[in-house]
Every structure is written in C-alpha cells, then in structure tokens.
Amino acid sequence: MGDSHSWAAAPATAERVRSVLAASWSCTVTADGGREEFVGAHTVDEDGRVLLRPPEDSALLTAAICAPRGEPSAVLEFADVAPVPVRSRIRARLWLAGWFAPDGDRLAFHATRVVLKQSSGAVVVDLDEFAAAAPDPLATAESHLLTHLADAHPDAVERLTRLVGSDSLHGVVRVQPLAVDRHGLTLRIERTRAHGDVRLPFHAPADDLGQLTERLHALLGQAAAACPRALQWQRTDGDG
C-alpha cells in the first residue's frame, strides 16, 4: 500500500446498518397489502425504530388498521447507493423484517430480523447490537462530501492513488471516491472490464467535519511524500 497507517478500523456491522438508515431517503415495504415505495416518509429514532408516515391511500396503512392486533408482518428494504457515479453503485442493501403497529398518525416498525448485504456477503445483525449502535457521525454528510471531492478536487483523488499498490492500478480507466466514514476513505478503482475498492484508513477516527478535513489533509501529505507515480490510464472505446 505504501502507507504507514496505524489505525485500520472499519465500522462495525451494526453501525453500518444504522448509517444506511440515517442516510436513506426512501424505502420499499413489502407487506400483506403489496409492495410500495415511500420517499421522504420515514424517520428513525435513537434505538433504530423506523417510523413511517404513509399517505392516506396507502395499502399498507389500510392493512395496519384492519389487521388482527394491528400488526401486519412486513419487510423493509433500503438501498445504499454511492453518490458519485461509479460502476455497481449500490454499495449495500439492508432488509428489516418485522411488523407494524399504529403509532398516532404514523406506523412504528418493530424489527425481528436485520440483514445487511455488502460485497463481502450478507450478515444477520444482532438486534441488541442494532438497537445500541449509533450511525457514523459523517453518514448524513457523506453524499455532499464525496461529490465535492470528486467534482472539485479530482487532482487530490488522483494524488491519493500514490497510497495504492501499483498492482491495483494496472489498466485503470477511472478512480472515484466511493465511501467515507469516521475510520477512512474508500476509492473505487475501475479498469476496462473489472473494478475493485481500496480503503485508505485514517490515523485516528474523525468525529466531525473539522477532524475529517484534518484526516484527509494527512492522507494527502502522506501521498505527497510517497514516490511520485503517474497513472497509466487505459483508453476505452468511449474516450475521445
């Protein structure tokens, strides 16, 4: 890798789940009343409980009111989509199985099973760990941070590739920032027919935007001190 980081931690799975919930703007619900997509209709409380405010004509709302004990079973699905255009933009999918109960003018979802699927595979998350976890402090700002880095500082992104092993950069056609959390920055390395991800861990966690700025500057400083290496970009059929 060419770096000397001592902090190599990554978010725990339960924290990753809570971050997906915190940043998601929409969700798909499959229940007895059918399958519906809700945009901007849910919130998440401190213990991870999803509170949904469906429209009055929603089949889900009707099912919740009419179901015995007011508890229709349901599965909620959330997609974690990379804010920067890359191949395979869905970074993770999250499923919550459980049941709804009326809560004033909202529906409260009580999860009985939580599953997170990432490129490394699917993991069932312990419910107590899920309830106790907190989202990454950068989760709601990540989209803006990554798009700004990609659009305004492509030179910095390229400079960071000095911290990436040369084997990972063979035949590269594009490098984009894929994800950032308090523990590190992930780059998507795209080649002509394949792609891979490389994680650049911070030397210490970043708990706010000020600390994140310092961590990114530290990475760039390490990249500047690394042996200069010009990327050998591979032309594609769409290149001008």
Side-chain angles (χ1 to χ4, degrees):
M1 287 290 293
D3 59 3
S4 58
H5 298 294
S6 59
W7 181 265
T13 304
E15 180 182 350
R16 183 79 178 89
V17 168
R18 294 296 298 271
S19 296
V20 172
L21 282 178
S24 294
W25 180 243
S26 65
C27 71
T28 300
V29 179
T30 302
D32 295 339
R35 182 177 174 88
E36 296 182 72
E37 182 170 357
F38 299 94
V39 178
H42 76 276
T43 57
V44 183
D45 64 16
E46 290 186 358
D47 64 1
R49 187 178 61 153
V50 177
L51 299 172
L52 184 68
R53 194 185 301 273
E56 293 183 358
D57 60 351
S58 167
L60 177 63
L61 181 61
T62 301
I65 294 174
C66 299
R69 295 178 294 118
E71 300 176 1
S73 61
V75 175
L76 277 59
E77 180 179 351
F78 300 84
D80 176 30
V81 182
V84 175
V86 293
R87 297 175 188 163
S88 302
R89 289 186 70 174
I90 297 180
R91 302 180 298 188
R93 289 190 183 277
L94 171 64
W95 291 276
L96 277 65
W99 47 273
F100 279 107
D103 184 355
D105 59 350
R106 302 173 299 183
L107 296 178
F109 186 75
H110 300 265
T112 56
R113 185 176 176 87
V114 177
V115 178
L116 179 69
K117 183 179 181 181
Q118 303 180 97
S119 59
S120 56
V123 177
V124 177
V125 181
D126 180 84
L127 293 177
D128 290 336
E129 293 180 2
F130 165 71
D136 186 274
L138 304 176
T140 57
E142 184 195 27
S143 178
H144 171 73
L145 292 169
L146 292 179
T147 53
H148 177 75
L149 182 60
D151 296 341
H153 303 287
D155 55 330
V157 175
E158 181 170 344
R159 198 178 317 144
L160 288 171
T161 61
R162 294 184 182 181
L163 302 176
V164 178
S166 58
D167 290 346
S168 298
L169 299 175
H170 179 71
V172 62
V173 297
R174 184 168 64 168
V175 179
Q176 292 277 48
L178 176 71
V180 68
D181 54 61
R182 66 193 296 260
H183 301 292
L185 173 71
T186 300
L187 300 179
R188 168 63 55 84
I189 311 294
E190 296 184 352
R191 308 177 193 86
T192 304
R193 294 183 177 85
H195 62 266
D197 301 333
V198 176
R199 186 170 176 82
L200 303 178
F202 300 143
H203 64 82
D207 292 326
D208 55 42
L209 295 181
Q211 291 182 3
L212 174 65
T213 298
E214 187 278 329
R215 305 299 187 264
L216 290 175
H217 284 166
L219 283 180
L220 289 169
Q222 292 178 10
C227 179
R229 181 175 68 242
L231 288 181
Q232 298 299 314
W233 297 100
Q234 176 72 42
R235 292 175 62 87
T236 64
D237 293 339
D239 292 339

